[in-house]
Amino acid sequence: MTLRRPESALVVIFDTASNVLVMQRQDDPDFWQSVTGTLEQDEQPMQTAIREVAEETGINIMHGQLSLIDCRCVNQYEIRDIWQHRYPPDCKFNTEHVFALQVNGDENITLTEHLSFQWLPKSEAMALVWSDTNRAAIQQFVPEPIENACQ
């Protein structure tokens, strides 16, 4: 097994109503998250974000003419013990680059690495995701929904 590079991209996907896409991991059903993935050899964070969105959801950013936003936010977090075997033995922390992607909300989601997905209001998504950095990214980069003034 090739050890992973301790650097990843996190992509928070939200729709025009500020509902957030969250996915349930296969290897830990209690772990819900946004799209995330390790940077491959010679890959830049933006390239990883585009690749991971396509791999994990089936959303093709380039063909869909969507705008992936580099949030210019970089987090460091301690690698979970259950995943430590995937990284070099002396590596305890991962560096995470944060991106945001607004979609229409009518995209077909095709899961390849997760058990299920949900579109949730911002506050519910924040309550469900496992990681603090994912929660913070939703809080900071997903806009508040616009209330309908005609109600």
Side-chain angles (χ1 to χ4, degrees):
M1 177 176 106
T2 303
L3 295 177
R4 291 187 181 187
R5 178 176 168 182
E7 192 170 10
S8 63
L10 170 71
V11 184
V12 175
I13 300 174
F14 61 96
D15 67 14
T16 54
S18 295
N19 292 309
V20 180
L21 177 67
V22 294
M23 300 174 297
Q24 182 182 33
R25 289 186 64 98
Q26 288 183 4
D27 61 356
D28 183 350
D30 292 329
F31 195 114
W32 287 78
Q33 68 184 95
S34 295
V35 169
T36 188
T38 300
L39 274 69
E40 293 182 354
Q41 187 70 24
D42 299 324
E43 196 173 48
Q44 295 299 310
M46 179 75 75
Q47 294 169 305
T48 301
I50 292 168
R51 176 180 54 77
E52 288 291 339
V53 167
E55 287 176 4
E56 293 185 14
T57 70
I59 297 172
N60 187 315
I61 293 171
M62 305 310 277
H63 289 136
Q65 297 180 330
L66 301 169
S67 296
L68 181 65
I69 301 160
D70 183 345
C71 297
R72 305 268 185 237
C73 176
V74 179
N75 301 310
Q76 278 218 315
Y77 63 85
E78 191 168 359
I79 297 168
R80 292 178 76 194
D81 289 341
I82 64 170
W83 296 333
Q84 186 61 57
H85 69 280
R86 300 174 181 173
Y87 297 89
D90 60 340
C91 180
K92 300 294 180 202
F93 292 91
N94 185 73
T95 300
E96 175 183 74
H97 303 268
V98 181
F99 296 86
L101 176 65
Q102 183 175 1
V103 297
N104 292 326
D106 59 358
E107 289 76 12
N108 268 338
I109 303 298
T110 305
L111 297 179
T112 58
E113 302 176 16
H114 295 86
L115 294 174
S116 64
F117 71 91
Q118 298 181 61
W119 288 98
L120 296 174
K122 180 177 176 175
S123 61
E124 290 180 35
M126 288 173 54
L128 185 59
V129 294
W130 188 90
S131 99
D132 291 337
T133 61
N134 198 163
R135 190 172 302 105
I138 293 168
Q139 172 67 43
Q140 188 170 359
F141 302 114
V142 175
E144 294 297 329
I146 297 172
E147 296 297 323
N148 186 347
C150 298
Q151 290 182 358

